[in-house]
Amino acid sequence: MRTRIKELRARDQLNQTELAKRAKVSRQTISLIEREELVPSLIIAVRISKIFNEPIDNIFIFEEDDL
Amino acid sequence: MKVLKQLGIGALIGGFFGYVLVGGSFTLPTYDISTELMVIFTIFAFFLCIFSLAGLTAIKKKAAQTLSGDEEDLRDEWSYKKYSDVSLASTTALVLSIATVCIGIITEALIPLVIVSLVSTIFSVIVSLMPSKYMRYVYPDRNLPNPNDKNYMSKLLEASDEGERHIMLNGLYSVYNLTSLLLLLAIVLFMFYSVATGESQLFSILVISLILISINTQYIFKIRSK
């Protein structure tokens, strides 16, 4: 799974700490998701999607093999 | 090349144990170097405690700075790593101090040396308890349990989010595997040591076997009841 979190953070001028606060998770969690080492739960994916005002599948991009 | 290297290491270890078993005259000079060991361990423990205290002070100082953007992320990352280093250093200091006291008691070392090692242990215990009180500087916006709370570790796990649990799970699982492997190796090592020196390590082998059975039973019972 690829994520566009880093790109969207840059677009909205958010650092990891601020995004973590808004998504109600730790910065470590954001960092893991951003480095594609953790697939977030649905609730966190929804929160991130609302923060960036983007659909979930526009932030978390699944390859054919993942599905 | 890798196979040759492994064969070489295996031959060296096998050769050493073969020589020891056939020769039958191997002993570690533990009693002869007990004073030196105690002094070295105490100095190490002291420096690790000082490193821990300096690290905690630095974390508190950094937490007081008002930063934004990437600098805030870098500070957070730095604090997290520093806190991990401090936890490792203070735990190592505690283990070294306890080992020093054990050496002192077993070898009937000089009383002043035993007293110094006891003081070092008390100092290490105090320092090893401090990181949990500084957790609020690493996680300023988190509602973390109080270290004095009953079931502190369970509450801390509950307060962690999925990313933190993922990190802990990876760490704990590798520790679990490493512990089992190292304890098995320790049993084999003690067996060779007993045969080579004629000094029975049977009690240690029994204790380690019980620990191995206990941790594996605990793990299996935890996962099979789910």
Side-chain angles (χ1 to χ4, degrees):
Chain A
M1 182 201 76
R2 284 195 303 114
T3 83
R4 290 180 56 227
I5 292 184
K6 196 170 183 179
E7 176 199 328
L8 295 168
R9 277 201 305 110
R11 185 196 70 187
D12 292 1
Q13 292 178 320
L14 283 176
N15 62 13
Q16 286 185 341
T17 310
E18 186 55 35
L19 176 61
K21 271 182 203 166
R22 294 197 196 176
K24 296 173 193 161
V25 292
S26 63
R27 193 200 57 80
Q28 284 77 14
T29 298
I30 295 295
S31 172
L32 281 173
I33 298 170
E34 204 170 281
R35 284 186 277 132
E36 296 165 8
E37 289 177 25
L38 177 74
V39 177
S41 63
L42 188 57
I43 183 88
I44 292 177
V46 171
R47 282 184 204 150
I48 291 174
S49 139
K50 280 190 174 177
I51 292 163
F52 290 124
N53 203 20
E54 293 271 355
I56 290 180
D57 58 0
N58 211 8
I59 302 174
F60 305 102
I61 299 138
F62 290 93
E63 308 293 338
E64 202 55 46
D65 293 349
D66 298 325
L67 302 169
Chain B
M1 192 66 194
K2 197 180 171 187
V3 174
L4 277 176
K5 200 176 166 186
Q6 284 172 340
L7 278 173
I9 293 168
L12 274 176
I13 295 170
F16 172 72
F17 282 119
Y19 167 78
V20 161
L21 285 174
V22 174
S25 58
F26 171 76
T27 43
L28 274 180
T30 35
Y31 274 79
D32 302 339
I33 58 165
S34 60
T35 307
E36 288 84 348
L37 270 182
M38 286 180 75
V39 172
I40 292 168
F41 281 11
T42 307
I43 291 170
F44 260 113
F46 178 75
F47 277 110
L48 286 171
C49 285
I50 297 299
F51 171 81
S52 303
L53 290 174
L56 290 173
T57 311
I59 288 171
K60 191 177 174 184
K61 208 173 163 186
K62 276 257 183 192
Q65 294 173 352
T66 310
L67 300 172
S68 62
D70 287 344
E71 280 183 342
E72 191 180 11
D73 286 348
L74 287 173
R75 187 258 310 270
D76 193 89
E77 207 172 302
W78 178 89
S79 300
Y80 183 71
K81 281 183 182 162
K82 194 75 178 171
Y83 185 82
S84 305
D85 294 345
V86 165
S87 300
L88 177 63
S90 59
T91 309
T92 309
L94 181 61
V95 173
L96 285 177
S97 303
I98 292 171
T100 310
V101 174
C102 292
I103 295 170
I105 292 169
I106 292 168
T107 61
E108 295 173 0
L110 295 169
I111 297 295
L113 209 52
V114 176
I115 293 171
V116 169
S117 61
L118 277 171
V119 171
S120 162
T121 306
I122 295 166
F123 184 46
S124 302
V125 169
I126 294 167
V127 173
S128 70
L129 290 172
M130 289 176 78
S132 55
K133 294 190 190 302
Y134 278 73
M135 213 179 238
R136 62 197 164 103
Y137 296 109
V138 185
Y139 304 101
D141 303 313
R142 302 286 293 279
N143 186 21
L144 294 170
N146 190 316
N148 301 322
D149 282 358
K150 211 177 170 184
N151 300 325
Y152 169 70
M153 291 313 286
S154 308
K155 285 180 183 171
L156 189 63
L157 194 63
E158 274 173 35
S160 307
D161 65 24
E162 60 192 73
E164 290 165 327
R165 283 189 201 141
H166 174 82
I167 295 168
M168 280 192 268
L169 178 68
N170 279 332
L172 288 172
Y173 194 69
S174 64
V175 166
Y176 165 72
N177 283 324
L178 186 67
T179 307
S180 296
L181 178 70
L182 289 180
L183 287 177
L184 273 173
L185 286 176
I187 290 176
V188 175
L189 184 69
F190 284 148
M191 184 200 68
F192 276 114
Y193 187 85
S194 299
V195 175
T197 62
E199 289 173 18
S200 172
Q201 303 293 317
L202 207 54
F203 179 70
S204 308
I205 292 174
L206 286 174
V207 171
I208 293 176
S209 303
L210 280 175
I211 293 171
L212 254 177
I213 294 167
S214 304
I215 56 173
N216 280 289
T217 309
Q218 171 85 351
Y219 177 71
I220 297 296
F221 272 89
K222 283 274 177 192
I223 59 167
R224 80 194 271 267
S225 60
K226 302 295 176 213

